[in-house]
Amino acid sequence: MDERPLQPLEDLILESLNPRAIRGLPHPLSKFAANGAVKEGPYADAILEVVNNLTWEAPESARHGAAVWFLCESERAFFVACSEAGIDAEKLRSHLELMPE
């Protein structure tokens, strides 16, 4: 029987609130990785947040409008963010263009 001490409950709760603490799950944008893996950090987090805004915010909301601009119309910001996150911008944009409105 394994008799290692249990981790304190407070530590477990704090760890569960940190999405980076979950091991073994691929990044939600990993299928768009340019070189095999998404570089986790603020750029990948921001892109994921904007994709969520495009998906879940009401079409008339400011967040949805900003997401449409950033993901579908931006000529520089989207590509810079994707490059910093290790994401293939063209592949992601092509996928997003296939989404129903």
Side-chain angles (χ1 to χ4, degrees):
M1 183 165 186
D2 190 5
E3 297 197 18
R4 290 180 289 167
L6 295 176
Q7 193 172 355
L9 181 59
E10 183 178 333
D11 292 348
L12 290 170
I13 292 170
L14 290 173
E15 190 174 307
S16 74
L17 297 174
N18 179 1
R20 296 185 203 288
I22 299 172
R23 308 263 187 260
L25 294 177
H27 191 279
L29 295 171
S30 63
K31 101 179 217 184
F32 305 103
N35 294 315
V38 173
K39 298 176 197 168
E40 298 220 22
Y43 289 98
D45 293 346
I47 293 167
L48 192 56
E49 178 71 22
V50 174
V51 170
N52 283 332
N53 289 343
L54 180 70
T55 306
W56 299 109
E57 293 291 332
E60 62 276 356
S61 74
R63 285 183 183 204
H64 186 271
V68 169
W69 176 83
F70 180 78
L71 295 169
C72 302
E73 299 170 11
S74 168
E75 295 180 11
R76 184 158 193 269
F78 174 73
F79 292 94
V80 170
C82 285
S83 176
E84 291 293 328
I87 294 171
D88 182 332
E90 292 292 340
K91 187 175 180 181
L92 178 56
R93 188 169 270 181
S94 293
H95 175 77
L96 293 169
E97 289 172 355
L98 296 174
M99 289 178 55
E101 291 187 36

